[in-house]
Amino acid sequence: MTTPTPPLKPAGRGRNLELPEHLKSYKGVWVFIEHDRGQVHSVSWELMGEARKLADKLGVQVAGVVMGGPDEKLDDFAKEAYAYGADSCYVMRDPVLKGYRNEPFTKGMTDLVNQYQPEILLLGATTMGRDLAGSVATTLGTGLTADCTELNIDGTTRALAATRPTFGGSLLCTIMTLAYRPQMATMRPRTAPMPRRDDSRTGSITEATLGMVETDIVTKLLDFIPDANRNTVNLAYADVIVSGGKGLKNPDNFKLVWDLARVLGAEVGATRPVVQAGWVEAERQVGQTGKTVRPKLYIAAGISGAIQHRVGMESSDVIVAINTDANAPIFDFAHFGIVGNALQVLPALTKAFEARLAKQIRKVA
């Protein structure tokens, strides 16, 4: 006897896509303010600018969440948060919060969320932010969209519309958490612009307590040892970047990228295939699985412009593309395009810039 195959259910049927009544009271947009050794990570302020835009569309307020030790400059961080767009800050001070550890920070954040009920919570997609976001979302039983390239509010549902690359960076998808709160998202540094600072803005502080003791925490912070040998590549914050792709054919030809970068005082970037081929170190990869950059000038040589690379550099002020293929995708979003062989164009640009800069130096002298 053959058992009949049950009919397939349409995708999405049976899922709860309506926000339950008890979650409709969640209001406001929060930003986790990440800091270390007395400095706030700039991604926190970038997110504060995005939070301000989202909150204005929803007609709600923006709040920063600052956690740390009793002797850290948490009030100063809160004042900075106001300058970048926050209306208020939740400040949690406790000896066990000095130096990041997942357990106390997760408890602190989830306690704050459960008590004050924000509808959106944003964190930087840094080592700390990714670690904290995952554990907070899991503890709260809510959705988390990681490594977003764009944040918006859906006009119909008023839900957070978080866009991120998927399928290895070949597509962009927009994800909404319709039936759970808070809606959580992480965004990588330099994905969003730095908002204008307004030091005349002020806000309120809500003090909160953690209620943990050191013996409750499994992980112990013994010491901080800086990596004296760490790579000094600062790709994300470079003003000028010259990047090369596999269109340069081999690592010897990639030296032409270095030559132009040296003349311009630029950083060198690369695509994922170039890094995978071992032509340059991983710290120089631009794209979804590498760095996100926002330079004033981005020169792309022998790069086709696949989405995986595009999402990491499309916010550059000026993009100059060099490619032999006039139909390469990169020409769709580059500000200036040169259809030609990068092996000939790069040396010509290097020579032209050298001559121009030498002329400027002579005028100054």
Side-chain angles (χ1 to χ4, degrees):
M1 180 176 178
T2 304
T3 303
T5 303
L8 294 175
K9 293 182 179 180
R13 179 170 292 181
R15 295 180 184 177
N16 181 13
L17 301 180
E18 295 290 331
L19 187 64
E21 284 298 322
H22 73 282
L23 295 179
K24 291 181 180 178
S25 60
Y26 281 58
K27 299 294 179 186
V29 183
W30 284 14
V31 175
F32 170 64
I33 298 175
E34 178 179 335
H35 63 93
D36 186 41
R37 318 224 159 261
Q39 298 293 324
V40 174
H41 197 301
S42 60
V43 72
S44 299
W45 306 143
E46 294 163 8
L47 283 172
M48 196 64 73
E50 295 303 295
R52 183 73 268 166
K53 297 174 192 174
L54 298 175
D56 289 346
K57 290 178 181 179
L58 291 168
V60 298
Q61 293 203 324
V62 176
V65 178
V66 190
M67 295 188 285
D71 59 343
E72 294 188 277
K73 302 182 295 181
L74 306 188
D75 289 334
D76 291 345
F77 300 155
K79 290 178 182 176
E80 279 194 90
Y82 306 146
Y84 285 113
D87 300 302
S88 63
C89 277
Y90 296 92
V91 176
M92 184 175 284
R93 310 171 204 268
D94 195 285
V96 302
L97 292 172
K98 184 169 183 179
Y100 174 75
R101 287 179 289 177
N102 181 271
E103 195 173 353
F105 271 71
T106 297
K107 183 181 186 302
M109 182 66 80
T110 53
D111 285 353
L112 285 170
V113 168
N114 286 328
Q115 183 174 357
Y116 296 103
Q117 302 183 338
E119 57 193 300
I120 295 173
L121 173 58
L122 306 177
L123 303 90
T126 60
T127 302
M128 183 191 301
R130 285 172 170 147
D131 184 64
L132 180 61
S135 58
V136 169
T138 302
T139 304
L140 293 172
T142 191
L144 166 65
T145 307
D147 285 353
C148 298
T149 58
E150 184 181 351
L151 300 173
N152 211 331
I153 298 298
D154 179 67
T156 303
T157 62
R158 288 173 57 85
L160 176 66
T163 301
R164 73 178 307 277
T166 187
F167 290 108
S170 60
L171 293 173
L172 292 172
C173 66
T174 298
I175 300 170
M176 290 187 285
T177 302
L178 298 175
Y180 302 93
R181 292 295 183 269
Q183 304 157 93
M184 292 181 60
T186 64
M187 183 175 271
R188 292 196 299 174
R190 301 295 279 168
T191 301
M194 181 70 77
R196 184 178 64 85
R197 181 176 177 132
D198 181 359
D199 288 315
S200 68
R201 297 187 84 260
T202 59
S204 61
I205 285 182
T206 300
E207 296 277 356
T209 57
L210 178 62
M212 286 186 85
V213 294
E214 185 61 43
T215 52
D216 293 336
I217 304 168
V218 174
T219 307
K220 305 303 176 187
L221 185 60
L222 302 179
D223 198 3
F224 174 76
I225 304 173
D227 184 0
N229 297 318
R230 72 177 178 87
N231 201 299
T232 57
V233 176
N234 193 22
L235 201 61
Y237 295 92
D239 285 334
V240 181
I241 297 173
V242 183
S243 281
K246 283 302 285 289
L248 295 175
K249 306 300 184 184
N250 61 59
D252 287 337
N253 292 336
F254 198 87
K255 292 175 183 176
L256 298 174
V257 171
W258 287 97
D259 291 342
L260 180 56
R262 174 182 51 78
V263 171
L264 295 176
E267 279 285 6
V268 169
T271 60
R272 180 169 64 179
V274 165
V275 170
Q276 291 175 335
W279 296 4
V280 295
E281 60 268 46
E283 288 83 355
R284 298 194 178 277
Q285 182 178 327
V286 176
Q288 171 60 18
T289 52
K291 297 287 195 303
T292 300
V293 299
R294 300 179 68 91
K296 295 176 181 177
L297 173 62
Y298 189 91
I299 300 175
I303 295 174
S304 65
I307 290 179
Q308 201 279 341
H309 186 76
R310 176 177 179 169
V311 296
M313 46 70 78
E314 64 181 340
S315 295
S316 305
D317 290 349
V318 176
I319 299 171
V320 178
I322 307 166
N323 202 294
T324 55
D325 181 4
N327 297 313
I330 197 165
F331 290 125
D332 294 336
F333 58 92
H335 300 91
F336 300 97
I338 302 173
V339 179
N341 188 339
L343 304 185
Q344 298 172 343
V345 175
L346 285 175
L349 286 176
T350 301
K351 186 176 180 180
F353 279 122
E354 279 180 332
R356 180 64 179 266
L357 292 172
K359 188 176 180 180
Q360 290 181 342
I361 291 172
R362 285 195 297 270
K363 283 184 177 180
V364 172

